[in-house]
Amino acid sequence: MTVLEVQGLRRSFAGLRAVDGVSFGIDQGEVVSVIGPNGSGKTTALNLVSGVLRPDEGRVLFQGRDVTGLRPERLAEAGLSRTFQNGRVFGNLSVAENVLIGLTPTLRAARPLARWRDIPVLRWLSLLAETAVALVDPPSVRRELAEREAEVESQLDRFGDRLRPRAEAAAHTLSYANRRRTEIARALASGPALLVLDEPTAGMNPVETAEVLEQLLALKAAGQTILLVEHKIDLVMRLSDRVLVLDAGTVIASGPPDEVRNDPRVIEAYLGKRRPAVRP
Amino acid sequence: MISRRGLFTAAAGVGATAVLASCGRLSGEQTAAAPAPAAGPIFFGVSAPLSGASAEYGKIWRTGFDLALDEINGAGGVKGRKIELLWEDTQSDQKQSVPVAQKFAGDSRILAELGDFASPASMAASPVYEKAHLVQFGFTNSHPDFTKGGEYMWSTSTTQQDHAPELADLAKSLGTKQAVYYINTDWGKTTWKLYEEHAKKSGYEIVHSEAVQADGSDFRPSLINGRDKGADVLVFIAYYQAAALLTQQAKNVGLAQAKIALPSSAYSPQYVALGGEATEGAQLIVRFHPGDPRPQVREFVDKYQKRYGKQPDDFGAGAYDALKILAWAVEHSDGTREGVRKALLEGKEIPSLLYGPFSFREDRRVTTPKSTRLVVKGGAFTLVGA
Amino acid sequence: MLDTALAGLVNGSSYALLALGLSLIFGVANVINFAHASVFAVGAMSGWWFSVDLGWPLWTVLLGVMAVTGLLGLVINLVAVTPLAKAPPIAALLSTFAVSVVVDNGAQLVFGPETRRFPALLATDNLGLGGLRFGTLDVTILAVAIGLMLVLGWFLRATRYGRAIRAVAQDRDAAAQMGIPLARVQNLAFVVASVLGGVAGVLGGMYLNNISPTVGSTVGMSAFAAATLGGLGSLPGAVAGGLLLGVVEAFGVSWWGGNARTLITFAVLLLVLWVRPSGLFGKRSPLAAEPMTGTFFGAARTVRLRPWQVAVAAVAAYVVPAVALDDYTVQIGVQVVVYAILALSLTLVSGQAGQISLGQAAPLAIGAYTSALLTTGTGLDFWLSLPISGLVAAVLSVALVSPSWRLRGHYVSIATLATGLLVAAAAVNFDWLTNGPSGVSAIPPPTLFGAPVSAPLAVYFLDLTILLVVLLLVVRLRRSTLGRIWSAIREDEVAARSSGIAAAEYKSLAFGIGGFVAGIGGALFAQQYGYIDPSVFGISVSLLALTIVVLGGLNSPLGAVVGAIVLVGLPEALRMLEETRMLTYGLLLLAVVLFRPQGLMGKVAR
Ligand SMILES: Nc1ncnc2c1ncn2[C@@H]1O[C@H](COP(=O)(O)OP(=O)(O)O)[C@@H](O)[C@H]1O
Ligand SMILES: [Mg+2]
């Protein structure tokens, strides 16, 4: 089954075509990577897919539904989670609270009448109900919170002793790598149908990178569908089912990793006219 | 560890005790203030704008008060005691005039209060003074409702009821098509309503009327409106700053030929100083003017001129007069707050710079004598026809 | 028609002159400089002094004024802005506000408060066009505004320092990495902007004819609207915004009367922001830049009191005034309590949800008017009017602020500022509803157990009880899931949305609840004074409320109460200073913002 289908996406900034007619699809359980030189439009493509930016043209289908131009929070509720290239954590919240925020779409008791959120005026009934519940704090909400906190624990366990001992620390006190981990834990918490990662290992050392690779392989083995933007070719090669190469906003190559790696257009895009020594 | 509920119960208990303990202070009735000390200086509270946008009026008050104080205390004071003022800055803002009133009310040395400058600031504080049985002498408060606030609210200000019709009559004498601009404050609006009433009754033709911002700086678009409707006399219901600006800008929009009529609140040497040549020929109605031949006025003007190097205006003279009236009332009282009110109530022939010997009406205001008309001539105010 | 447009252009060019400086400073330092209008006033006053008292000719007057205001700009930057570079942006905004209090009141002491005539150093009515007389002066002002825009544009493009300023404006961090001396560039920008402000003061003084030390405040707000209208940071935008606003105001005044000016100014500003969220000429990136280090909203944790400490404080709040304080002090206590309620509404909106509001006087005014009109007009009981006031304030707050959800950062604050001024202006203009400037008087005191609550102590007990309820409410909300959701929006809206949080709805909710609380405060306010008019709800109330919250520690409910005690009590404690009271208050305010930007109840995190 196709989880994500992208058709002819375009987006320009002040005349610059950042994404210029990109199409691709991702099947259930697949890991698809997008690579390309800096400024080739990878992040913009992810922003378009995740609703953070609106496309000028093109369509995005998520689990068979047209979600083009849908707001990011709606996409998140629908099961699309993402991380950001430079890492966006909630600095003054603890690590555990950061992950708890990732569970927001799964809250029921604390967010009553959530279905009414799409209806202009009635939405306020839902918001007021949420306020009332927050003030009263009934047992159902407390029970739900306890469940979600347990869920947070298990998410933190994924990162072993990297995050566990720091669960109560404010996120802005974390190391860069730990912030990225926190972000990934937050994105995974709600059990998304599609996980979108923008350079998850940027700024990590080889040991940390290897650790992330292991975790992603484990996720893949568990059937997680992933859309990945990454610079580290080794990681992409080991993880991906398919690779898309972007240059100047267009897909210049796509296919299984081995095939793409030896595509002369890709080599040219990455390294200019010189003949590269591609590492095995 | 004590339980949370226990804590709150305890808190509520102590709170309730406090409430009961202070029951007397909770009911509206003021516990009688301590009697005023019988020796030492006599104090008046002054609730005035010393900072903020109206600060300059507070400063003018000080000139009039200081002059009166010197006279009174120089002559041995009242009942052998010196008079002193306790100044409190309110910025003429009711958020500040109310606590100041509370402060004065609780200070038993204070026998009467002067101010505040703006009617709203005074009126918000009135209930406090009323409860404390302290005379609130709002000598600039022309709002008709000010003295209706209670038995202790007194004023020597002209009310708009007296003043507005006179202003309309002045305008009528200057031209046939009136354009009236009034500043958008409580005072401006009230004056305008009374003005309009009188003008309608008398059949005067008002071709244009418009509220303008009291602290505005650009009145040209408003004045163009009046010009396009063919106004030949302009009435500016404003204090002197806005009046000066309106006068100047009227010339700029081509209303150079139109006559100008002004209320007494625009009466100040500052009007001419600020407005320059454009003010030439403008006419005002005033209750006080330094050219008044009465000896009392001559003496006051000379002293003022000598001390401050300039002529007194309506606010300076009003402040001087107000303080002297209160001192007179203390002199004729038993030296208590209540006594001051009684003296004002029963006083006949109260001496006054502005009104000559007078007595207060039932509504605790003064019947204004017919105002004088002045015209700006050669950069100075002169009596019309002189 | 032509006349009106021309009058508007002339007036608008004085806005444009001021807007240029505001825009320049905003571009470089990312600070809304509330002190800029005071620089204008100092320019006008020192220009008056040079020309009248010292008898200098125009050229030396201009040079002298430029020296004075340039120096003042430098001092403002060094004292009030640079030290706060690492504090949340709101701290710098409040410190420039404190500076404006200091400068305005200082100028009042130095020059005396009276209004005076600015000598006409240039002719004012030697030219005519279509019935409107104007002069060399008016043409000069327009020419100077456009000329300065061009010169400044050239300076920014063609000189080394100019390019440095632009580089800093575009990307501070990158510029610093390129070796551009940030500190020097920012000093330069302040000096240049303040010199412009001084020139504007001289020309503006001639144009206005009459000046006083507080002349800045009237022109300042319009200039500020003009700069935003044009797009903060854009020089052509500043000039275009100024001229456009001048013309729109002129026609608005011509149609609806002079008292509608403020209403028009801020209605236009809001409408423009709704349609073009970055102003007419402002550039807006479609996506807030991804931060390099994560976004941190004043990294501070709040001091937490233990329950028994809170309980003791609450009991003391009842007992001490009853047994130990006189009615005057209790009256101040009543004000402290009402401001604390207002501040708590901001703790939710600004501290919890991160939306810095400069217009919280709006719901306060709406609540006060609702309660006052209901109890006087329809004789409704105060206790019924109380929740209605809160509701009306909540609904209107949300309706006025919600269209601004596309705005980001400072623009949100500006939209709320405009909302606050708009509501006050509406209260002046909508006579049929609010009785206009005359206000509503004879508001009956509430009754409780059949007795009127009007003695200071009784009012205090009533208000304090409501304060404690509100405090409890705010604390509970903060600790709930809802509170966590608001925190996430505050910390990083983009990330919050991508985690499934509908930010716009929750921001609306924060403003709604904040509006409800402030509306309740307003109702208490109205009953406490028995009399309200529009002047009570000026911008200074909004700024005071925000300062209270910042002083107390933005995110600390108890801090709001402590801040209210300090900041409302302070001016009263300074009463013996008479004329220098507000000056001292401003200096203390400045010191507080400078030395405790994290607030009294905030601890700097490690
Ligand atoms: N918000 C934006 N505003 C203007 N230009 C942008 C914006 N975001 C990205 N761009 C531009 O679009 C191009 C693609 O950027 P991006 O998608 O971030 O590339 P990548 O992630 O592949 O490095 C770049 O030239 C970049 O400068
Ligand atoms: Mg990228």
Side-chain angles (χ1 to χ4, degrees):
Chain A
M1 196 192 102
T2 314
V3 174
L4 182 76
E5 170 101 40
V6 169
Q7 299 166 351
L9 276 192
R10 276 178 221 280
R11 170 76 202 220
S12 6
F13 298 114
L16 172 94
R17 293 187 173 180
V19 169
D20 195 7
V22 167
S23 306
F24 65 93
I26 305 178
D27 283 340
Q28 177 78 48
E30 237 188 339
V31 173
V32 174
S33 293
V34 180
I35 62 172
N38 269 328
S40 58
K42 304 183 296 293
T43 297
T44 306
L46 292 199
N47 284 342
L48 293 173
V49 167
S50 62
V52 171
L53 287 175
R54 276 169 182 269
D56 298 334
E57 266 176 57
R59 290 208 312 161
V60 181
L61 302 173
F62 182 58
Q63 296 182 312
R65 186 176 143 216
D66 189 345
V67 297
T68 318
L70 219 59
R71 284 173 283 161
E73 56 264 32
R74 295 280 177 256
L75 271 163
E77 279 177 346
L80 189 156
S81 287
R82 68 167 292 183
T83 67
F84 295 85
Q85 181 171 345
N86 289 315
R88 304 184 90 130
V89 290
F90 307 119
N92 279 318
L93 299 190
S94 70
V95 171
E97 285 172 318
N98 264 275
V99 180
L100 203 50
I101 288 290
L103 283 162
T104 309
T106 70
L107 295 176
R108 294 289 168 267
R111 298 165 71 232
L113 308 175
R115 268 167 301 131
W116 294 11
R117 284 297 164 84
D118 291 326
I119 313 167
V121 175
L122 290 185
R123 118 173 8 129
W124 276 93
L125 285 181
S126 156
L127 285 169
L128 290 178
E130 188 170 342
T131 311
V133 162
L135 285 173
V136 175
D137 198 20
S140 62
V141 170
R142 264 179 278 158
R143 214 174 317 120
E144 185 181 60
L145 185 64
E147 281 167 30
R148 294 304 183 272
E149 277 168 347
E151 178 70 33
V152 168
E153 301 270 304
S154 70
Q155 285 298 334
L156 293 182
D157 281 341
R158 190 192 300 276
F159 295 93
D161 49 355
R162 296 290 194 180
L163 292 183
R164 283 309 310 258
R166 299 181 177 82
E168 296 311 315
H172 71 89
T173 63
L174 297 181
S175 71
Y176 186 72
N178 272 337
R179 281 187 213 159
R180 307 305 310 266
R181 293 188 183 100
T182 304
E183 216 192 350
I184 295 171
R186 184 179 72 202
L188 278 172
S190 57
L194 174 66
L195 177 66
V196 177
L197 301 170
D198 195 352
E199 302 197 25
T201 69
M204 287 193 184
N205 64 32
V207 177
E208 292 165 338
T209 306
E211 224 180 272
V212 170
L213 174 60
E214 289 310 313
Q215 281 149 356
L216 293 180
L217 284 170
L219 278 174
K220 181 180 179 183
Q224 176 71 54
T225 316
I226 299 176
L227 172 60
L228 174 76
V229 165
E230 185 52 70
H231 268 308
K232 293 180 178 154
I233 297 295
D234 293 346
L235 187 143
V236 170
M237 292 300 146
R238 290 210 32 206
L239 196 60
S240 313
D241 296 314
R242 267 182 313 124
V243 176
L244 243 64
V245 186
L246 274 190
D247 188 26
T250 53
V251 180
I252 55 169
S254 72
D258 296 334
E259 220 172 87
V260 167
R261 178 154 63 168
N262 295 317
D263 191 315
R265 283 171 304 175
V266 177
I267 295 161
E268 188 181 320
Y270 257 91
L271 298 165
K273 302 286 175 214
R274 281 179 297 125
R275 194 70 209 157
V278 179
R279 276 186 292 153
Chain B
M1 170 116 195
I2 318 161
S3 79
R4 205 188 276 193
R5 182 158 305 163
L7 274 173
F8 281 110
T9 326
V14 179
T17 321
V19 171
L20 289 178
S22 56
C23 233
R25 287 175 66 193
L26 286 174
S27 63
E29 275 316 297
Q30 186 86 11
T31 38
I42 286 167
F43 287 92
F44 294 149
V46 184
S47 170
L50 298 178
S51 61
S54 302
E56 58 182 299
Y57 297 100
K59 212 175 165 190
I60 299 174
W61 279 13
R62 213 184 262 276
T63 63
F65 287 157
D66 286 351
L67 203 58
L69 276 184
D70 282 3
E71 277 180 27
I72 298 165
N73 291 337
V78 174
K79 291 178 182 272
R81 298 161 66 186
K82 295 232 177 316
I83 290 184
E84 282 184 30
L85 299 182
L86 291 176
W87 287 82
E88 291 295 355
D89 177 25
T90 62
Q91 306 188 307
S92 235
D93 166 10
Q94 53 262 52
K95 291 196 287 300
Q96 303 185 44
S97 67
V98 174
V100 161
Q102 208 66 253
K103 188 171 198 180
F104 288 159
D107 186 339
S108 63
R109 297 172 304 162
I110 292 179
L111 285 191
E113 186 269 349
L114 292 148
D116 203 288
F117 171 69
S119 296
S122 288
M123 287 157 68
S126 292
V128 178
Y129 291 117
E130 182 73 10
K131 255 183 237 158
H133 295 191
L134 184 61
V135 164
Q136 182 188 24
F137 206 74
F139 60 96
T140 50
N141 300 143
S142 58
H143 195 296
D145 290 346
F146 167 66
T147 58
K148 292 181 194 156
E151 307 254 286
Y152 293 83
M153 281 72 239
W154 298 75
S155 180
T156 45
S157 165
T158 44
T159 68
Q160 291 122 322
Q161 255 127 355
D162 298 331
H163 200 63
E166 288 184 336
L167 181 60
D169 294 341
L170 169 68
K172 173 66 188 165
S173 73
L174 295 175
T176 52
K177 296 186 167 182
Q178 305 182 2
V180 185
Y181 297 90
Y182 55 98
I183 56 172
N184 197 23
T185 63
D186 176 60
W187 170 80
K189 223 180 82 180
T190 314
T191 311
W192 159 242
K193 269 192 201 134
L194 296 164
Y195 184 107
E196 191 186 24
E197 226 168 75
H198 179 76
K200 271 212 183 105
K201 222 169 22 196
S202 314
Y204 303 160
E205 187 187 0
I206 298 176
V207 294
H208 182 72
S209 69
E210 186 171 335
V212 296
Q213 287 184 321
D215 58 354
S217 54
D218 176 38
F219 301 111
R220 291 174 180 94
S222 303
L223 288 161
I224 287 174
N225 281 341
R227 183 199 70 192
D228 290 348
K229 289 179 186 154
D232 62 1
V233 53
L234 304 172
V235 183
F236 300 142
I237 300 173
Y239 294 119
Y240 60 78
Q241 300 113 319
L245 278 179
L246 280 159
T247 306
Q248 277 177 321
Q249 293 178 6
K251 305 287 161 188
N252 289 344
V253 303
L255 277 163
Q257 301 311 314
K259 296 278 192 295
I260 289 170
L262 301 164
S264 73
S265 42
Y267 170 64
S268 165
Q270 283 289 92
Y271 169 68
V272 180
L274 295 176
E277 276 165 30
T279 60
E280 199 65 19
Q283 297 208 11
L284 308 86
I285 42 169
V286 299
R287 56 170 183 173
F288 165 85
H289 75 104
D292 193 324
R294 281 185 293 143
Q296 207 189 350
V297 175
R298 302 271 25 97
E299 192 191 339
F300 167 70
V301 171
D302 285 345
K303 272 192 200 158
Y304 194 99
Q305 178 98 38
K306 203 174 289 158
R307 175 149 174 186
Y308 302 111
K310 60 179 183 198
Q311 290 214 327
D313 61 9
D314 199 66
F315 294 102
Y320 173 88
D321 202 35
L323 184 52
K324 291 211 102 170
I325 292 172
L326 273 189
W328 178 92
V330 173
E331 184 81 60
H332 293 79
S333 75
D334 56 1
T336 64
R337 288 179 176 183
E338 190 59 44
V340 174
R341 186 185 75 92
K342 274 218 185 89
L344 292 174
L345 185 69
E346 290 160 5
K348 305 267 177 288
E349 311 261 302
I350 303 173
S352 160
L353 172 75
L354 298 177
Y355 305 113
F358 75 100
S359 41
F360 280 98
R361 295 193 308 226
E362 215 157 87
D363 62 354
R364 293 174 295 284
R365 287 201 178 265
V366 185
T367 305
T368 330
K370 188 112 185 77
S371 343
T372 318
R373 288 188 186 184
L374 297 183
V375 61
V376 179
K377 211 186 222 170
F381 294 102
T382 45
L383 282 169
V384 170
Chain C
M1 281 295 280
L2 183 66
D3 288 3
T4 310
L6 215 57
L9 269 185
V10 171
N11 195 38
S13 48
S14 67
Y15 296 160
L17 267 180
L18 265 184
L20 272 176
L22 277 172
S23 233
L24 183 63
I25 289 176
F26 183 85
V28 175
N30 197 27
V31 165
I32 298 173
N33 182 13
F34 268 96
H36 199 62
S38 306
V39 171
F40 171 87
V42 167
M45 293 308 294
S46 55
W48 169 86
W49 185 60
F50 290 144
S51 60
V52 173
D53 273 19
L54 305 185
W56 294 1
L58 180 59
W59 283 114
T60 38
V61 168
L62 273 178
L63 287 177
V65 166
M66 287 161 88
V68 170
T69 54
L71 192 68
L72 180 62
L74 186 64
V75 172
I76 292 176
N77 182 38
L78 291 180
V79 171
V81 180
T82 308
L84 293 171
K86 294 213 162 54
I90 190 64
L93 184 149
L94 288 177
S95 78
T96 62
F97 166 65
V99 166
S100 80
V101 174
V102 172
V103 172
D104 285 356
N105 284 282
Q108 228 172 28
L109 287 178
V110 172
F111 296 103
E114 47 289 313
T115 307
R116 63 211 77 198
R117 182 176 170 80
F118 201 98
L121 302 173
L122 293 170
T124 56
D125 63 350
N126 52 340
L127 308 168
L129 190 66
L132 188 77
R133 303 294 302 173
F134 56 96
T136 316
L137 172 70
D138 303 314
V139 180
T140 309
I141 292 179
L142 187 58
V144 167
I146 293 173
L148 280 178
M149 175 191 87
L150 294 175
V151 170
L152 213 55
W154 168 83
F155 172 76
L156 290 180
R157 234 168 289 278
T159 67
R160 205 160 65 86
Y161 268 107
R163 281 198 297 267
I165 288 182
R166 284 201 319 161
V168 174
Q170 254 161 33
D171 188 338
R172 253 184 114 76
D173 294 334
Q177 277 163 15
M178 302 292 290
I180 290 175
L182 279 188
R184 222 183 307 158
V185 167
Q186 188 165 317
N187 280 338
L188 182 71
F190 265 85
V191 170
V192 170
S194 302
V195 164
L196 291 186
V199 173
V202 174
L203 295 174
M206 285 191 249
Y207 168 70
L208 299 174
N209 309 313
N210 300 346
I211 57 163
S212 75
T214 52
V215 63
S217 59
T218 36
V219 196
M221 277 297 141
S222 292
F224 181 66
T228 316
L229 207 63
L232 280 168
S234 155
L235 298 180
V239 173
L243 297 180
L244 180 72
L245 187 63
V247 172
V248 171
E249 277 186 8
F251 279 106
V253 166
S254 171
W255 288 324
W256 293 300
N259 60 337
R261 188 183 285 267
T262 313
L263 193 69
I264 296 161
T265 308
F266 292 99
V268 167
L269 177 60
L270 267 187
L271 284 178
V272 168
L273 284 183
W274 289 348
V275 180
R276 279 195 65 91
S278 295
L280 298 174
F281 287 69
K283 283 200 200 70
R284 168 189 167 86
S285 95
L287 175 67
E290 277 194 38
M292 298 302 291
T293 51
T295 42
F296 305 128
F297 183 87
R301 312 218 119 192
T302 52
V303 176
R304 272 207 169 172
L305 295 186
R306 294 174 189 291
W308 71 264
Q309 291 169 318
V310 176
V312 167
V315 173
Y318 278 101
V319 175
V320 172
V323 297
L325 301 178
D326 60 12
D327 277 352
Y328 159 67
T329 317
V330 172
Q331 179 73 42
I332 304 298
V334 174
Q335 289 195 349
V336 168
V337 169
V338 172
Y339 269 104
I341 293 175
L342 181 64
L344 275 173
S345 75
L346 271 183
T347 304
L348 276 185
V349 173
S350 303
Q352 194 68 33
Q355 308 302 307
I356 299 296
S357 166
L358 298 174
Q360 203 65 2
L364 184 79
I366 295 169
Y369 267 102
T370 306
S371 170
L373 292 171
L374 284 177
T375 49
T376 57
T378 67
L380 194 75
D381 186 66
F382 166 77
W383 294 105
L384 278 175
S385 83
L386 196 64
I388 299 179
S389 303
L391 268 182
V392 174
V395 170
L396 287 180
S397 296
V398 171
L400 283 168
V401 185
S402 289
S404 308
W405 290 149
R406 294 204 295 149
L407 307 180
R408 284 199 295 259
H410 282 302
Y411 282 93
V412 175
S413 310
I414 294 171
T416 56
L417 178 94
T419 307
L421 292 165
L422 193 69
V423 167
V428 174
N429 280 273
F430 298 168
D431 264 55
W432 50 271
L433 180 66
T434 63
N435 205 20
S438 303
V440 185
S441 56
I443 305 165
T447 52
L448 197 60
F449 311 122
V453 181
S454 63
L457 194 62
V459 177
Y460 174 79
F461 282 162
L462 170 67
D463 291 6
L464 181 64
T465 308
I466 293 178
L467 170 66
L468 291 181
V469 172
V470 169
L471 197 59
L472 188 70
L473 198 116
V474 172
V475 169
R476 283 198 81 100
L477 283 180
R478 268 166 50 83
R479 295 192 184 153
S480 67
T481 296
L482 189 54
R484 192 168 56 246
I485 286 176
W486 277 327
S487 304
I489 295 172
R490 173 191 72 211
E491 296 290 321
D492 190 330
E493 190 173 328
V494 174
R497 293 183 70 181
S498 289
S499 303
I501 291 172
E505 288 164 19
Y506 285 102
K507 287 196 278 186
S508 293
L509 182 63
F511 268 92
I513 300 177
F516 184 83
V517 170
I520 297 272
L524 296 176
F525 191 94
Q527 311 301 322
Q528 173 197 341
Y529 291 113
Y531 174 89
I532 53 166
D533 73 28
S535 70
V536 179
F537 306 101
I539 179 158
S540 58
V541 171
S542 297
L543 288 174
L544 178 58
L546 189 61
T547 316
I548 288 172
V549 182
V550 169
L551 171 67
L554 254 176
N555 201 4
S556 156
L558 269 178
V561 179
V562 174
I565 295 172
V566 174
L567 285 179
V568 178
L570 201 57
E572 293 298 326
L574 297 174
R575 284 219 158 270
M576 68 284 180
L577 297 175
E578 292 190 4
E579 272 97 343
T580 55
R581 180 169 72 113
M582 292 317 285
L583 177 70
T584 315
Y585 178 63
L587 284 171
L588 288 175
L589 209 58
L590 184 61
V592 158
V593 180
L594 284 179
F595 298 118
R596 272 199 91 76
Q598 81 278 24
L600 291 175
M601 299 297 279
K603 277 190 300 205
V604 184
R606 285 155 291 271

